Amino acid sequence: MNKSELKKMIQDAEMVLVGIGEELESGFSILESSQIYEDLKRKLKAEGLAEENYEWVYPCLLQQAEKESEEARLLSDFYLELKDMLGDKNYFIISMNMDSMLEETGFSVERYVQPFGNYELLQCDRACTKELKDAGEMKKNVLQSIRNGTELLASLKKSYCLHCGSEMVFNNVNAGNYLEEGYLENWKRYTKWIEGTMNRKVCILELGVMLNYPSMIRWPFEKLGYLNQKASFVRMNSVIPQLTGELAGKGISVRTSSINFFLER
Ligand SMILES: [Zn+2]
């Protein structure tokens, strides 16, 4: 399969379901090659602070690092290409990743869900309350403290829960007690959208999803592809693109990295 064939398949469908997996994650590896991380290390050294006490600021630097890294630029180009290909189709995206790539590349929050959470909201680590707080201010403070020559990193404070005093952490699966409230509204939208695919010509596109949590995307996508007579199914993966027997003859397996595929000119 090539890009124009995929494009045609999407155009022919009434609905497009996209699953994005770990192969497309913009993880902490991009942090290491970024300028903002260099700046952080320099400042820690200058103040004689141990880096392990400041690992909590890493997620605050991700968005900035995404702007600086070549790896992240490729990912961002991939998302823009995907967005272009989906055009004004009725689509929905489910992503296993916690990065902000979908948001950064202009996808509407009403068209995707990140069940593992992301780095946009803060929650109490003990989940004493279900209140969620926007993480924007904390991120801004951290960046400012790193960049401002006169401000000391040592005076940078973590955020604490107003109710129980526990640390405020990012609202994702890494939290001590992950509050699923952060994505539930979008999850409801997603399941409703899935119900609407019944007897519809739906194109199911699974991109770079590994086998770590198959119950989130791989298995339900396979089931949907198998049960819906009008569905088309594409599994793109550079490591495990194999299809199950039920999808033989119906599904298309593409052994490649989605980035290479989508950015092929
Ligand atoms: Zn609390």
Side-chain angles (χ1 to χ4, degrees):
M1 161 172 264
N2 62 33
K3 209 166 136 189
S4 57
E5 284 163 344
L6 178 64
K7 206 175 250 179
K8 187 166 183 308
M9 194 182 245
I10 288 172
Q11 275 162 4
D12 287 346
E14 291 169 84
M15 298 171 92
V16 188
L17 173 62
V18 185
I20 293 179
E22 300 93 320
E23 281 200 307
L24 291 154
E25 172 148 48
S26 158
F28 284 89
S29 62
I30 65 156
L31 196 60
E32 283 161 21
S33 58
S34 70
Q35 184 59 44
I36 191 70
Y37 181 59
E38 286 305 308
D39 294 345
L40 168 70
K41 281 199 295 189
R42 193 180 321 121
K43 195 140 185 185
L44 286 168
K45 202 173 166 200
E47 292 183 39
L49 301 169
E51 183 170 342
E52 63 253 39
N53 296 334
Y54 284 84
E55 284 173 1
W56 63 274
V57 307
Y58 293 166
C60 300
L61 311 181
L62 279 178
Q63 257 161 303
Q64 178 58 33
E66 280 168 5
K67 294 190 184 111
E68 298 169 357
S69 128
E70 171 65 11
E71 190 187 331
R73 196 187 57 78
L74 283 175
L75 260 179
S76 160
D77 287 350
F78 154 79
Y79 278 105
L80 291 171
E81 200 64 36
L82 174 67
K83 192 156 73 124
D84 186 55
M85 212 183 265
L86 292 169
D88 55 7
K89 279 283 163 190
N90 179 5
Y91 66 87
F92 210 103
I93 301 174
I94 172 169
S95 173
M96 322 227 352
N97 302 329
M98 301 190 282
D99 58 54
S100 52
M101 280 291 169
L102 283 161
E103 195 201 355
E104 293 279 314
T105 50
F107 283 88
S108 157
V109 289
E110 299 190 346
R111 290 211 172 265
Y112 66 86
V113 63
Q114 292 175 287
F116 286 159
N118 54 33
Y119 295 101
E120 306 301 320
L121 299 168
L122 295 170
Q123 65 157 86
C124 166
D125 197 35
R126 280 175 52 194
C128 79
T129 161
K130 292 191 169 180
E131 266 169 45
L132 297 170
K133 203 178 125 188
D134 189 276
E137 199 187 318
M138 178 162 129
K139 291 187 201 171
K140 207 177 87 193
N141 289 342
V142 168
L143 284 180
Q144 217 168 332
S145 170
I146 292 172
R147 284 168 168 165
N148 186 330
T150 56
E151 224 168 292
L152 286 179
L153 267 183
S155 59
L156 192 61
K157 295 275 176 288
K158 286 184 186 176
S159 179
Y160 292 96
C161 175
L162 295 174
H163 308 281
C164 75
S166 292
E167 198 179 320
M168 292 294 280
V169 294
F170 286 96
N171 178 226
N172 59 44
V173 282
N174 297 330
N177 298 279
Y178 177 35
L179 280 173
E180 306 201 50
E181 276 71 11
Y183 76 88
L184 272 189
E185 196 184 318
N186 278 12
W187 183 257
K188 280 182 201 148
R189 202 175 276 135
Y190 172 64
T191 50
K192 200 162 173 234
W193 188 94
I194 292 283
E195 280 166 26
T197 64
M198 221 200 282
N199 293 319
R200 291 288 199 82
K201 214 171 160 187
V202 57
C203 172
I204 303 169
L205 198 53
E206 186 202 281
L207 306 174
V209 181
M210 306 310 273
L211 279 167
N212 304 320
Y213 304 94
S215 58
M216 187 183 289
I217 295 178
R218 272 185 89 113
W219 292 345
F221 273 33
E222 281 170 1
K223 195 174 160 199
L224 200 67
Y226 170 66
L227 292 176
N228 183 329
Q229 301 299 316
K230 296 180 187 167
S232 53
F233 185 101
V234 178
R235 168 166 288 157
M236 201 176 287
N237 197 302
S238 65
V239 189
I240 34 172
Q242 293 84 354
L243 296 171
T244 52
E246 284 120 340
L247 288 167
K250 185 185 209 174
I252 297 172
S253 158
V254 192
R255 183 183 287 272
T256 185
S257 114
S258 303
I259 292 185
N260 290 347
F261 185 93
F262 276 80
L263 298 184
E264 149 209 324
R265 301 282 170 222

